[in-house]
Amino acid sequence: MGLLSRASYVVRSKVNSLLNRAEDPTESLDYSYEQMRDELKDVERGLADLVAQKKRLEVQRERLQKNVEKHNEQAREAMRQDREDLARRALEKKQSKLASIEEMEEQISSLESTQSDLEEKKSQLQERIERFRTKKETMKARYEAAEAQNRVSEAMTGVGDEMADVGRAVERAEEKTDEMESRAAAMDELTERGVFEDKLSDEDAIDRELSQGRADREVEAELETLRAESESKSESGETSEASADADREASADASDVDESAVDESAVEAELEELREEEGGSESKA
């Protein structure tokens, strides 16, 4: 393949690819339908011209037929006047007109046959156009449904051109936002470190450090106070617990003493009763 042939092939392939991408099947179907309707109009115009031509021939044939009758009358009148020469001339014209009439009848017959064929083709073409119109509308509906389904699928999966643009826009927005957040964090850090001075404040870096030191001391003082309060509460709790233990032990000892005292007096009373019973029994003896 030569250089020019390769270049021509490449150009044709590129053009074909562009046409395929630019082609809309619904528009192609509508265009084909319009072309078929134009063909039907051409057939109808041709049929009308043919009928008009046939009508002209029929009018001429009728005129010739009238001339034939006229020439017959001329021939009869000439013979009544003993003018055979005029009668011959009238009959010759009659024959010429009859020949023309016969030729016209053949033409009219041919035109009628052509008219019949055109009318049949016109009817067939109308049926084809009607079938094509129905199929065209069906194909257009299917194509539009498939196109809508394809757009929805591309939107759901994010593979379409528009969704790809949206995805890139989101990525750029995220990158810009991250960059701005990082820059803001860096500015805050540099401001806290005193690298950048606050133009709206009279404090400088030394004032901020001193303020921070005072705040730290105040926090430490509050912590010491809390520690002291916690320790005092714990010591007082231990003292009260020890005194409570001592009270509980004293109460236990006292109860033990009382119980022992109660028990001995009861025993002495029972012994006294026994002694009295023994003494009474001896006196009776």
Side-chain angles (χ1 to χ4, degrees):
M1 182 182 293
L3 182 61
L4 293 177
S5 299
R6 290 180 59 190
S8 176
Y9 178 79
V10 170
V11 170
R12 288 198 304 272
S13 62
K14 295 293 184 182
V15 171
N16 185 56
S17 178
L18 291 174
L19 291 176
N20 287 334
R21 286 197 296 268
E23 183 181 8
D24 186 353
T26 59
E27 294 178 354
S28 299
L29 290 172
D30 290 336
Y31 180 71
S32 298
Y33 178 69
E34 292 301 325
Q35 281 187 322
M36 294 180 71
R37 286 174 59 86
D38 292 339
E39 290 178 0
L40 179 61
K41 291 179 181 179
D42 291 339
V43 172
E44 291 175 346
R45 284 193 295 268
L47 185 59
D49 294 340
L50 186 145
V51 172
Q53 183 67 22
K54 187 186 73 170
K55 290 296 182 182
R56 284 195 294 270
L57 290 176
E58 289 175 349
V59 170
Q60 292 178 6
R61 183 184 63 182
E62 291 177 359
R63 186 181 299 116
L64 290 174
Q65 287 175 349
K66 291 180 180 180
N67 289 331
V68 168
E69 294 176 358
K70 178 182 176 181
H71 293 319
N72 282 330
E73 291 295 329
Q74 288 175 345
R76 291 190 188 97
E77 182 66 21
M79 291 302 293
R80 284 194 294 268
Q81 296 179 11
D82 294 330
R83 294 291 307 271
E84 186 176 346
D85 56 335
L86 291 178
R88 183 182 295 277
R89 288 171 56 189
L91 292 176
E92 288 176 352
K93 288 183 178 181
K94 173 186 173 182
Q95 292 300 322
S96 176
K97 299 294 175 60
L98 288 175
S100 297
I101 290 172
E102 185 178 358
E103 183 179 356
M104 285 183 180
E105 286 180 349
E106 291 179 357
Q107 292 179 0
I108 291 172
S109 177
S110 176
L111 290 175
E112 287 177 349
S113 177
T114 304
Q115 177 182 352
S116 179
D117 292 340
L118 285 177
E119 288 176 352
E120 184 178 357
K121 290 181 180 179
K122 174 179 173 292
S123 178
Q124 293 176 356
L125 184 58
Q126 285 178 331
E127 292 179 0
R128 287 184 58 192
I129 291 174
E130 187 62 26
R131 289 197 302 269
F132 181 78
R133 187 184 69 83
T134 303
K135 188 173 182 180
K136 172 180 73 71
E137 295 301 327
T138 303
M139 290 300 299
K140 286 177 63 176
R142 288 181 57 193
Y143 178 79
E144 291 173 356
E147 188 178 22
Q149 185 177 4
N150 186 50
R151 286 197 300 267
V152 172
S153 299
E154 289 182 352
M156 293 294 291
T157 56
V159 299
D161 294 336
E162 295 181 357
M163 294 306 297
D165 294 337
V166 171
R168 287 192 292 270
V170 171
E171 291 178 357
R172 289 194 297 270
E174 289 179 350
E175 292 176 358
K176 191 69 175 179
T177 302
D178 293 340
E179 181 182 354
M180 293 177 66
E181 290 177 349
S182 300
R183 185 176 179 81
M187 296 296 290
D188 293 339
E189 181 181 351
L190 293 174
T191 302
E192 291 177 359
R193 292 172 57 187
V195 177
F196 293 156
E197 299 290 342
D198 189 357
K199 302 301 181 182
L200 300 178
S201 176
D202 295 333
E203 294 182 352
D204 56 7
I206 297 174
D207 293 330
R208 284 194 294 273
E209 290 185 8
L210 292 175
S211 298
Q212 185 65 37
R214 286 193 295 271
D216 293 341
R217 287 196 300 273
E218 291 176 358
V219 171
E220 289 296 331
E222 291 182 1
L223 287 174
E224 286 296 331
T225 301
L226 294 174
R227 292 194 192 99
E229 290 177 356
S230 177
E231 290 176 357
S232 63
K233 287 181 180 179
S234 62
E235 290 176 358
S236 62
E238 291 176 357
T239 304
S240 60
E241 185 178 357
S243 61
D245 292 339
D247 292 337
R248 285 194 294 272
E249 291 176 358
S251 299
D253 294 339
S255 63
D256 292 338
V257 172
D258 292 339
E259 289 177 358
S260 61
V262 171
D263 293 338
E264 289 177 359
S265 61
V267 172
E268 289 296 333
E270 290 181 356
L271 287 174
E272 188 63 30
E273 290 177 358
L274 290 175
R275 290 192 191 100
E276 290 177 355
E277 290 179 358
E278 290 293 330
S281 62
E282 289 180 354
S283 64
K284 289 178 180 180

